[in-house]
């Protein structure tokens, strides 16, 4: 309740100003100290400030800092508030609280501020891994006719269909091992979860983490895209154990009300 009240107060400020303040980088600041000081996770800061380089913050540089952890989302097509809330795994009320005028549908191209805090909390206690993105599975793990190369190839993960800009969340806690371009994968994040287990998030339009950063299960880390060898916006998601690819579905919660599996007979 207190959180909702705080969000309403921010919404009132937001109507007059905006959802963020401009902060000028001071001597001694690091992205870590700014994140700590404002209580905004590093991936959220990086999403707001695409030009910021972790190793090269400049004194006097202006950063956008949101009042609460949250990111701007611009739907590519008109969507219902209820769908938007699923993309972020938050309650619709939390989105309404900061965007009181949006109503029950959001027009394509209209920017909405969406809080991201501890997302996916309904699954964090129950599941070891969580679904990294809301969408439906458009391609399963295993042998398939490759949609671009048109020959039988092994699909090393699952593809979850989602619009460009859809938030991607860490499926499990761990340390970022890779964050950058990789042939075929396009923009790729690899998270090392220990005991030889890694998760891969590919074709991203935006990477909001860097090598060495520790992320927790459910943390916002990136945005869906179509980079690399891809036929359209989707998240290619892999689970590897000792560098062997496994069917990610075997690790993910089965009773998930948000992510719909494609019916195999379709
Ligand atoms: Zn794929």
């Amino acid at each position: 309740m207190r959180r909702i009240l705080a969000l309403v107060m921010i919404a009132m400020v937001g109507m007059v100003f905006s959802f963020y303040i401009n902060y000028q980088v001071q001597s001694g600041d690091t992205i870590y100290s700014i994140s700590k000081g404002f209580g905004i996770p590093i991936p959220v800061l990086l999403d707001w400030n695409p030009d910021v380089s972790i190793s090269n913050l400049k004194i006097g540089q202006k950063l956008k800092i949101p009042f609460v952890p949250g990111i701007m989302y611009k739907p590519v097509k008109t969507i219902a508030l209820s769908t938007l809330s699923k993309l972020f795994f938050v309650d619709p009320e939390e989105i309404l609280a900061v965007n009181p005028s949006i109503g029950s549908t959001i027009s394509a191209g209209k920017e909405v501020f969406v809080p991201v805090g501890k997302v996916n909390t309904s699954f964090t206690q129950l599941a070891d891994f969580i679904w990294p993105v809301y969408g439906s599975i458009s391609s399963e793990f295993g042998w398939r006719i490759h949609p671009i190369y048109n020959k039988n190839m092994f699909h090393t993960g699952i593809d979850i269909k989602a619009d460009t800009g859809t938030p991607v969340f860490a499926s499990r806690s761990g340390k970022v091992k890779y964050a950058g371009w990789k042939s075929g994968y396009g923009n790729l994040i690899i998270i090392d979860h220990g005991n030889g287990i890694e998760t891969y998030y590919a074709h991203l339009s935006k990477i909001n983490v860097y090598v060495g950063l520790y992320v927790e299960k459910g943390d916002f880390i990136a945005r869906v895209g179509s980079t690399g060898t891809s036929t359209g916006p989707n998240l290619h998601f892999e689970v590897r154990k000792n560098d062997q690819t496994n069917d990610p579905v075997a690790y993910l919660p089965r009773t998930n009300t948000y992510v719909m599996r494609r019916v195999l007979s379709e």
Side-chain angles (χ1 to χ4, degrees):
M1 196 57 216
R2 195 175 285 172
R3 179 153 179 233
I4 298 284
L5 272 178
L7 291 172
V8 170
M9 283 167 69
I10 286 149
M12 284 156 68
V13 174
M15 277 182 260
V16 185
F17 306 102
S18 61
F19 294 111
Y20 64 92
I21 54 155
N22 281 306
Y23 174 75
Q24 230 169 2
V25 175
Q26 321 266 304
S27 165
D29 278 346
T30 62
I31 197 78
Y32 182 77
S33 70
I34 293 169
S35 165
K36 271 269 186 223
F38 287 94
I40 304 295
I42 288 172
V44 173
L45 284 178
L46 295 181
D47 197 74
W48 278 90
N49 300 281
D51 301 331
V52 165
S53 157
I54 293 307
S55 53
N56 195 20
L57 270 187
K58 293 183 187 69
I59 295 168
Q61 189 177 355
K62 278 206 180 100
L63 298 186
K64 288 180 181 172
I65 306 204
F67 289 107
V68 289
I71 60 172
M72 300 308 291
Y73 180 74
K74 196 193 277 189
V76 296
K77 49 184 178 281
T78 300
I79 58 165
L81 175 63
S82 56
T83 308
L84 176 65
S85 77
K86 287 172 183 168
L87 296 181
F88 283 82
F89 300 89
V90 296
D91 290 329
E93 291 73 39
E94 282 198 58
I95 301 172
L96 265 179
V98 277
N99 305 274
S101 61
I102 54 170
S104 59
T105 54
I106 297 106
S107 312
K110 182 179 161 56
E111 275 204 309
V112 182
F113 178 89
V114 188
V116 295
K118 278 289 142 219
V119 295
N120 258 344
T121 45
S122 56
F123 304 123
T124 45
Q125 280 102 36
L126 300 170
D128 191 9
F129 290 73
I130 56 169
W131 290 86
V133 78
Y134 174 82
S136 55
I137 297 178
S138 54
S139 186
E140 306 262 351
F141 174 83
W143 289 100
R144 65 168 182 179
I145 303 293
H146 194 280
I148 290 172
Y149 302 118
N150 200 28
K151 59 179 181 187
N152 207 18
M153 288 174 79
F154 196 82
H155 190 219
T156 51
I158 54 170
D159 295 340
I160 306 174
K161 196 167 175 278
D163 289 332
T164 294
T166 302
V168 178
F169 302 101
S171 179
R172 199 183 194 219
S173 301
K175 200 180 235 183
V176 177
K177 181 188 176 183
Y178 187 87
W181 187 269
K182 197 165 185 156
S183 173
Y185 288 101
N187 287 325
L188 170 71
I189 295 173
I190 303 174
I191 302 178
D192 179 354
H193 306 288
N195 296 321
I197 297 176
E198 293 170 352
T199 49
Y200 281 49
Y201 311 75
H203 308 316
L204 305 167
S205 61
K206 190 158 186 347
I207 292 174
N208 290 321
V209 294
Y210 50 89
V211 172
L213 183 70
Y214 180 82
V215 292
E216 281 187 45
K217 174 162 56 180
D219 278 355
F220 165 68
I221 55 169
R223 298 223 193 202
V224 168
S226 187
T227 55
T229 308
S230 163
T231 52
N234 77 91
L235 180 77
H236 171 92
F237 178 64
E238 290 184 13
V239 178
R240 294 193 182 211
K241 185 152 194 198
N242 301 324
D243 217 27
Q244 296 292 307
T245 57
N246 288 281
D247 187 352
V249 171
Y251 292 84
L252 292 164
R254 304 301 176 94
T255 53
N256 192 309
T257 53
Y258 291 126
V259 178
M260 299 158 294
R261 286 197 67 197
R262 177 174 63 96
V263 178
L264 286 173
S265 59
E266 269 179 4

